Amino acid sequence: CLRRLQLRVLNLSSPTTSIPVFSMRAADVVPLLKLTHFQFYGSTTYFEALAARLAAPFLQDLEIKLDDYPPTFPHLSRFISDVEGQFFAVRVDIISIAPRISMLTHSHSIDEPPRRIVIQNLMTWSMQIGTAFGARLTTAEQLFLQCPWTYYRSQFRENHITWRGFLQQFQNVKILRVERDFLPEVARFLFLNSGEPPLLLLPALEEIELRLAAPSVAPPISDIEREEVLSTLSPFTAARQRVGFPVRISWNADPALPSPYW
């Protein structure tokens, strides 16, 4: 029985090739019940054709890296929805024009390892993922946002309205971890406009953790910077305090990520 599958598909088609939409019956889908590891590197066209005909509900590790920027992915949503388990940690790395999103389930025992899903190169990914995977994101309790490059932070700033819509999917996130240099952009989309309810974004949030770089990479946070951080986030934290849902701010200088962020 097939347990591991790695596919690298060279895309020789035109970049404008449309994605085929298959009308499949449940009986047409082949379940791979023993498949636990699946890596796919290639074009959306090929992955969609594959996902339309396969189901792998017991995947432990799924990694998809697309070499094009798909406008839609009708079958990827169903393929991921079939994977068992509830995601509790989500990591977003804005490392290119098309970010990478990673999702992880709990590990309840040695016999039941965590399930990991990584997807990279969804062009209008924030809206697409919100639409396609919204039900899976609502169970997440931890969210980590990272953007190490200045150029992409500016792109994020220009699209903060789209990002706010993406964040509305996370109804149960209790901890928001943010890279130090990315905080100003994150604060912008947490800012509440006049008339917006204080619990519009991340209603279950209890803590914002500012992650610092290792001491060899960046200086430790100063008292002045701490005050600036608190001031930047004060409109959001004050609004939450007024309605009885306080959010605390913490700092973490440990370069190692917590266990959920692999």
Side-chain angles (χ1 to χ4, degrees):
C1 296
L2 185 64
R3 296 180 182 274
R4 293 176 178 267
L5 178 61
Q6 183 180 72
L7 294 177
R8 295 178 181 269
V9 182
L10 181 63
N11 185 10
L12 300 177
S13 61
S14 165
T16 59
T17 299
S18 60
I19 298 173
V21 178
F22 301 96
S23 177
M24 305 295 293
R25 300 170 302 167
D28 296 325
V29 177
V30 178
L32 300 177
L33 301 181
K34 297 294 185 179
L35 187 66
T36 57
H37 294 74
F38 180 24
Q39 290 182 331
F40 178 91
Y41 305 127
S43 77
T44 308
T45 302
Y46 291 107
F47 184 83
E48 282 291 302
L50 188 67
R53 294 172 170 83
L54 297 180
F58 302 116
L59 276 174
Q60 296 172 8
D61 192 280
L62 171 63
E63 184 173 346
I64 301 170
K65 184 174 182 180
L66 305 173
D67 61 13
D68 53 5
Y69 300 119
T72 59
F73 43 91
H75 299 294
L76 176 59
S77 173
R78 194 272 307 164
F79 189 82
I80 289 181
S81 295
D82 287 343
V83 177
E84 293 191 348
Q86 291 186 334
F87 297 115
F88 88 103
V90 175
R91 171 175 173 172
V92 178
D93 293 286
I94 306 170
I95 54 176
S96 69
I97 193 172
R100 177 177 62 211
I101 183 168
S102 309
M103 298 173 275
L104 192 76
T105 68
H106 274 295
S107 177
H108 297 291
S109 68
I110 296 177
D111 296 329
E112 186 182 351
R115 302 181 190 277
R116 184 184 75 118
I117 293 178
V118 180
I119 307 172
Q120 186 171 342
N121 278 14
L122 299 181
M123 184 63 171
T124 54
W125 72 278
S126 57
M127 289 184 292
Q128 289 177 325
I129 289 179
T131 300
F133 313 135
R136 305 305 302 268
L137 299 179
T138 57
T139 63
E141 297 180 4
Q142 300 183 27
L143 175 62
F144 177 38
L145 301 178
Q146 178 173 247
C147 184
W149 309 114
T150 301
Y151 172 77
Y152 294 115
R153 287 198 289 269
S154 66
Q155 296 293 308
F156 178 95
R157 190 181 308 124
E158 295 172 2
N159 294 287
H160 75 281
I161 294 177
T162 298
W163 277 87
R164 294 190 85 208
F166 173 66
L167 280 188
Q168 289 179 338
Q169 309 294 326
F170 294 91
Q171 295 294 304
N172 289 295
V173 162
K174 294 178 172 60
I175 301 176
L176 173 63
R177 293 185 167 93
V178 182
E179 179 196 25
R180 177 184 194 167
D181 294 335
F182 197 27
L183 180 65
E185 281 68 35
V186 173
R188 283 186 177 89
F189 66 68
L190 289 177
F191 182 81
L192 295 171
N193 297 313
S194 177
E196 288 185 330
L199 300 181
L200 175 67
L201 298 174
L202 307 178
L205 189 65
E206 299 174 357
E207 178 182 358
I208 297 176
E209 180 187 278
L210 182 64
R211 293 197 56 81
L212 312 180
S216 60
V217 178
I221 189 168
S222 65
D223 291 340
I224 293 177
E225 186 176 355
R226 286 179 184 269
E227 290 300 321
E228 290 176 348
V229 167
L230 295 176
S231 176
T232 299
L233 293 171
S234 62
F236 176 76
T237 56
R240 296 293 291 262
Q241 183 73 40
R242 285 195 296 270
V243 295
F245 290 88
V247 175
R248 64 183 179 273
I249 309 299
S250 64
W251 287 264
N252 190 336
D254 187 349
L257 286 171
S259 57
Y261 296 105
W262 59 98

